[in-house]
Amino acid sequence: MTSMLLSSTSQTQIFHNIRTSQPISHLHPYRTTCLAPLPCRSRSIRCAGSTAVADTGSTRELKQGIAELYDESSAVWEDIWGDHMHHGFYDPDEVVSGSDSDHRAAQFRMIQEALSFAGVSEDPEKGPKTVVDVGCGIGGSSRYIARKYGAKCQGITLSPFQAQRANALAATEGLADKVSFQVADALEQPFPDGQFDLVWSMESGEHMPDKRKFVGELARVAAPGATIVIVTWCHRVLGPSEESLQPWEMKHLKKICDAYYLPDWCSTADYVNLLESLSLQDIKTADWSQYVAPFWPAVIRSALTWKGLTSLLRSGMKTIRGALVMPLMIEGYKKGLIKFAIMTCRKPE
């Protein structure tokens, strides 16, 4: 839910190490045009005919819808949930209270766990110094990382409202010299090759209509030796005999796509396939669905308060439509269809 993480904990991690036989381009390994076609069995999972993507598959219409959704909803989210527009990370063995402070603490923990899972040092002297926040929302992750490491962070979003608000918050918090935000496309990032030693994408990958190009751009702007962190919504990995998801699963995802302006979904295995096709190293993945389980019920409870209801009514139809499909996210997680995934890797030196 941005514009989306566990080596420091004792909980079980689920790792995947999936090898492919795809040819690798040795000329420009981080240019997406050089990639071989992705043998992705989930490519049939589409949301054609939804409000997110017209029958023509118009990327332009998709981007406009995403921008308008977040222009409309970001102020509501900040007012109720604060400046971190992503899931929280919860201990599945603990009872979660209904307090806003606990849920906001869980959102901070999500960032901490993602950094830890990726092997980013806790030592500010050894941490990242240049960071790109791809799908930055209103800048919560960037400001956190800038404070923690003294890093220079640049965030990009499709939403003019988010970019303006993120810059305003940075100025208010005395971080205008450390972080900056602009409207830009994650599939055509306005940065030179090899600029950042931490490439961060917290819950934005689900909005990307071209996953190959998305991952290729993350790798392109990463400096040699840089860490790449992708936290995103995925569908389950297909079984050995499956060519696509089941019809009910496709129908379920389509309803979510229509509300949140999402294009094709893919699985964690598909992402790993892409990362390895780019010769990225130290690839790790985990399914953190159990650690985010309390999040959507908490969002629904906050939406049903007087403050939440009045804010929704003032915000507009896109935000209301998104609120109405929140129970489908809960159902998708419970049935094992939707996976909250983290993937980290390193660009070769």
Side-chain angles (χ1 to χ4, degrees):
M1 290 194 57
T2 185
S3 32
M4 190 206 152
L5 299 125
L6 183 46
S7 56
S8 65
T9 63
S10 60
Q11 290 91 348
T12 301
Q13 301 172 356
I14 303 175
F15 295 100
H16 304 277
N17 185 12
I18 302 173
R19 297 290 168 189
T20 72
S21 58
Q22 281 191 307
I24 306 298
S25 167
H26 295 286
L27 296 177
H28 302 284
Y30 303 108
R31 293 294 184 181
T32 57
T33 54
C34 297
L35 293 180
L38 173 66
C40 171
R41 288 179 296 160
S42 60
R43 290 172 72 183
S44 61
I45 308 306
R46 300 187 181 276
C47 302
S50 72
T51 56
V53 184
D55 291 338
T56 59
S58 169
T59 300
R60 180 185 59 80
E61 292 181 20
L62 172 64
K63 292 175 183 177
Q64 180 180 348
I66 294 169
E68 291 174 351
L69 172 64
Y70 288 111
D71 281 348
E72 183 180 286
S73 64
S74 294
V76 176
W77 181 270
E78 182 185 3
D79 187 39
I80 297 175
W81 273 75
D83 61 343
H84 291 275
M85 302 184 67
H86 56 77
H87 283 67
F89 188 101
Y90 303 84
D91 187 336
D93 297 324
E94 293 183 359
V95 177
V96 179
S97 75
S99 70
D100 290 345
S101 60
D102 283 356
H103 293 299
R104 293 186 183 188
Q107 289 176 306
F108 279 111
R109 186 179 176 190
M110 177 64 77
I111 301 172
Q112 295 164 350
E113 295 289 351
L115 291 168
S116 178
F117 183 86
V120 178
S121 175
E122 283 289 311
D123 184 350
E125 296 300 318
K126 298 178 181 179
K129 299 306 175 187
T130 54
V131 181
V132 61
D133 187 351
V134 180
C136 61
I138 56 175
S141 292
S142 289
R143 290 190 296 278
Y144 179 93
I145 293 170
R147 286 195 194 91
K148 184 177 181 69
Y149 296 106
K152 293 276 190 178
C153 301
Q154 297 188 62
I156 58 174
T157 173
L158 290 175
S159 165
F161 176 89
Q162 287 189 335
Q164 181 180 24
R165 181 59 180 151
N167 281 315
L169 287 170
T172 299
E173 297 175 20
L175 292 170
D177 62 329
K178 291 290 187 183
V179 299
S180 63
F181 305 92
Q182 62 181 299
V183 175
D185 186 350
L187 302 184
E188 297 179 8
Q189 294 188 38
F191 307 117
D193 296 358
Q195 181 166 343
F196 302 103
D197 52 20
L198 175 62
V199 177
W200 178 270
S201 172
M202 174 64 72
E203 294 190 60
S204 64
E206 55 270 16
H207 283 300
M208 305 301 167
D210 187 336
K211 299 298 192 287
R212 183 188 299 111
K213 193 171 184 180
F214 169 55
V215 172
E217 278 290 275
L218 298 182
R220 181 185 67 79
V221 301
T227 297
I228 299 173
V229 179
I230 304 171
V231 184
T232 189
W233 309 354
C234 291
H235 67 60
R236 66 176 178 82
V237 175
L238 299 179
S241 63
E242 291 183 299
E243 291 299 323
S244 67
L245 295 177
Q246 298 178 31
W248 76 264
E249 293 175 312
M250 297 171 69
K251 183 178 180 181
H252 189 99
L253 292 183
K254 181 183 181 300
K255 293 176 181 177
I256 297 172
C257 288
D258 288 352
Y260 292 138
Y261 290 87
L262 306 180
D264 297 8
W265 291 58
C266 67
S267 70
T268 306
D270 298 325
Y271 267 109
V272 172
N273 191 353
L274 284 172
L275 295 171
E276 292 195 330
S277 76
L278 290 165
S279 299
L280 296 167
Q281 300 176 347
D282 301 330
I283 299 170
K284 296 194 299 181
T285 78
D287 174 5
W288 281 6
S289 301
Q290 65 173 320
Y291 302 106
V292 302
F295 176 76
W296 286 99
V299 174
I300 290 175
R301 287 194 298 271
S302 66
L304 294 177
T305 63
W306 176 252
K307 180 179 181 180
L309 288 170
T310 55
S311 296
L312 281 173
L313 291 173
R314 288 195 304 267
S315 63
M317 283 307 302
K318 288 183 174 64
T319 307
I320 293 171
R321 188 163 55 241
L324 292 175
V325 301
M326 289 190 291
L328 295 180
M329 290 295 296
I330 297 174
E331 183 182 355
Y333 278 125
K334 286 182 176 179
K335 292 185 175 180
L337 168 60
I338 298 175
K339 301 295 183 179
F340 190 88
I342 179 170
M343 292 146 280
T344 67
C345 59
R346 183 176 57 83
K347 187 171 178 176
E349 297 280 358

